[in-house]
Amino acid sequence: MALPLANLATQIPVFNPSGTGGPSAIDLIKSLSEHKHLFRAIESQPKAGVYESFGEEWSLCLSYLESEVHRCAREASAFLDDKARGGGRGEMETELHDDLAQVMLPLFDFLEKHARGMHCSSRLARTPTPSTLFMNYFRAHLKAFDGNTRGPNGEDTTIYGPEGTPVPPRFRARDHDDLNPIEWLLIHRLMDPFIQLVCRPIRLLANRLIGKRRRSSDVDQKAVNATVISVIARMVVCMLASLSLAAAIGVLDNIGSQKNRIIVMTVFAQVIASSVQFLGQESTPMYLLIIS
């Protein structure tokens, strides 16, 4: 006895495009809409743009493309061998040319896709992970709206880890930190204590005086303008260069022996050259300007 079409239709499994446990279309739309504040923050602080590198997925796709390349290569080789042994005799020139194109062009397409995938995955693999500072900046924005458990991509926010923990290796920074050692020290070692002990109490006191209440969507921004950090780093480099030069002059003035002066000058030259390397390449012109 044939089943009614209505009952038969209910037995057909329904395909879920979002996958098991993945966000639905409406969840993704809500996440993209609710995280507009994060997109605006990334526009002002590009280093806070944190994205997944999808290393496992790239490997999966590249392996599939390799399989397709091998398949097309075998088909092309078999076609060429067959036609070269006389299998193409009697065929019209246009038909033979079309058959050749139907075999070779898919091989080229998959080779091109594989090369493009290798290039993109290689660039992503070389992209540095976000700094802890900007990863926490990103995490703080994710918590700006109470009750929102999905990130801007619709996935659960737990994939980013709690604030203060190391950066998961799967994430990459859209605009990585190009910092010299002084800037790195200021941002990653001195900025947080300064914000915790100085900036935050002053901000809270100012908000109380003007009667401003902190909203749940307000984010305690820990990022400082890169220009300010760069200026402070240059000031530190100038002070170190001046102190090194002053120390060398002071020591040489107190040495009477010419032989000892040559030895001390050699030592100070090595010290100054080494300090320039530790302070980054950008400090070299400034050092040369000060000590010349």
Side-chain angles (χ1 to χ4, degrees):
M1 180 178 178
L3 291 173
L5 291 179
N7 294 337
L8 184 62
T10 58
Q11 299 180 13
I12 300 176
V14 178
F15 173 68
N16 180 13
S18 63
T20 304
S24 63
I26 191 62
D27 288 335
L28 179 58
I29 292 173
K30 288 181 179 179
S31 297
L32 292 172
S33 177
E34 292 175 353
H35 287 290
K36 289 181 180 178
H37 68 290
L38 175 60
F39 304 144
R40 288 192 294 267
I42 294 175
E43 181 182 5
S44 60
Q45 289 287 348
K47 294 182 179 64
V50 177
Y51 302 97
E52 295 185 66
S53 60
F54 295 108
E56 181 180 351
E57 289 76 6
W58 272 113
S59 299
L60 176 67
C61 291
L62 287 172
S63 297
Y64 164 74
L65 290 173
E66 286 180 354
S67 175
E68 289 296 325
V69 169
H70 284 298
R71 179 183 63 81
C72 293
R74 285 190 290 266
E75 292 180 358
S77 178
F79 174 84
L80 295 175
D81 292 341
D82 177 63
K83 299 303 179 182
R85 287 195 298 265
R89 293 178 182 177
E91 295 186 27
M92 296 182 61
E93 179 69 17
T94 55
E95 293 180 356
L96 191 59
H97 189 275
D98 291 341
D99 292 341
L100 179 62
Q102 290 178 2
V103 172
M104 297 302 297
L105 290 181
L107 175 60
F108 172 78
D109 290 339
F110 282 113
L111 281 171
E112 185 182 31
K113 291 177 181 177
H114 183 268
R116 191 163 65 247
M118 285 288 293
H119 177 71
C120 294
S121 61
S122 177
R123 289 185 60 185
L124 280 172
R126 292 195 302 268
T127 304
T129 57
S131 65
T132 305
L133 173 74
F134 286 105
M135 188 67 186
N136 289 335
Y137 179 74
F138 184 88
R139 290 163 173 166
H141 274 276
L142 291 181
K143 298 189 301 182
F145 288 97
D146 297 333
N148 188 2
T149 60
R150 293 190 181 274
N153 56 4
E155 299 296 327
D156 197 284
T157 55
T158 55
I159 65 174
Y160 299 99
E163 189 173 354
T165 58
V167 180
R170 64 188 297 179
F171 292 104
R172 294 291 184 269
R174 192 187 77 176
D175 185 11
H176 65 279
D177 291 331
D178 188 14
L179 306 174
N180 62 45
I182 297 296
E183 292 174 339
W184 186 91
L185 178 66
L186 292 173
I187 289 179
H188 297 287
R189 289 293 181 266
L190 302 180
M191 185 184 298
D192 279 349
F194 178 77
I195 291 175
Q196 294 287 343
L197 301 177
V198 179
C199 293
R200 184 172 294 173
I202 294 176
R203 183 185 303 172
L204 293 176
L205 179 60
N207 290 339
R208 290 175 183 174
L209 291 176
I210 63 177
K212 180 181 178 181
R213 298 182 61 183
R214 192 177 190 274
R215 299 172 300 174
S216 61
S217 60
D218 289 340
V219 176
D220 190 11
Q221 181 173 337
K222 296 183 179 180
V224 176
N225 191 292
T227 304
V228 177
I229 296 295
S230 180
V231 170
I232 297 176
R234 290 195 190 98
M235 292 174 58
V236 174
V237 170
C238 289
M239 288 190 297
L240 291 177
S242 301
L243 290 174
S244 300
L245 183 60
I249 294 174
V251 172
L252 290 174
D253 285 342
N254 293 322
I255 296 177
S257 173
Q258 187 68 22
K259 180 180 179 180
N260 292 337
R261 282 192 174 189
I262 294 175
I263 295 175
V264 172
M265 288 173 60
T266 304
V267 172
F268 269 103
Q270 294 295 329
V271 171
I272 293 176
S274 301
S275 62
V276 172
Q277 297 300 320
F278 284 115
L279 295 176
Q281 296 180 353
E282 295 180 355
S283 62
T284 303
M286 195 174 301
Y287 251 72
L288 293 176
L289 180 64
I290 293 175
I291 66 177
S292 60

